[in-house]
Amino acid sequence: MEERLRKVEVALQHTELMLRLHQKSVNNNPKEYSDSFKHGQQLIFDDVLPSLEEAKAEFKLLKEELLCQKN
C-alpha cells in the first residue's frame, strides 16, 4: 500500500512540476507564444493548478488516514 501511495504522490508532484515549468516558460518567453495561446494556457493554469492543489490536499488526508488505520 505504501508503494502505491508513493507512486501517486510522485505523479502529483511531477504533474505540478511540469505544469509550473510550462507556465514559467510561457510567462518568461512571451514573444514565442501568440496572445491567444497565452490566454488559453492561462485559462488552463487557472483551472488546473487549483485542482491540483485540492488533489494534493485530499491525497495527504487520505494517506494520513490509511497510515493511521495501518497502525
Side-chain angles (χ1 to χ4, degrees):
M1 177 62 82
E2 289 179 36
E3 181 62 24
R4 290 169 59 194
L5 287 173
R6 180 73 186 131
K7 286 180 181 181
V8 172
E9 188 172 29
V10 168
L12 285 170
Q13 290 170 347
H14 179 75
T15 301
E16 181 181 25
L17 173 65
M18 297 309 292
L19 190 58
R20 291 198 185 277
L21 285 173
H22 179 61
Q23 183 181 36
K24 186 176 181 179
S25 176
V26 171
N27 290 341
N28 289 344
N29 304 295
K31 293 179 182 175
E32 294 181 24
Y33 301 99
S34 68
D35 287 341
S36 62
F37 179 84
K38 287 185 286 188
H39 179 70
Q41 294 302 291
Q42 192 58 50
L43 292 174
I44 292 170
F45 299 142
D46 291 347
D47 185 44
V48 174
L49 287 171
S51 296
L52 188 56
E53 289 299 321
E54 288 179 27
K56 286 172 37 183
E58 185 65 28
F59 174 80
K60 183 178 178 181
L61 291 174
L62 179 60
K63 183 178 176 182
E64 290 171 1
E65 183 179 314
L66 288 172
L67 291 176
C68 285
Q69 287 177 3
K70 183 179 175 183
N71 295 331

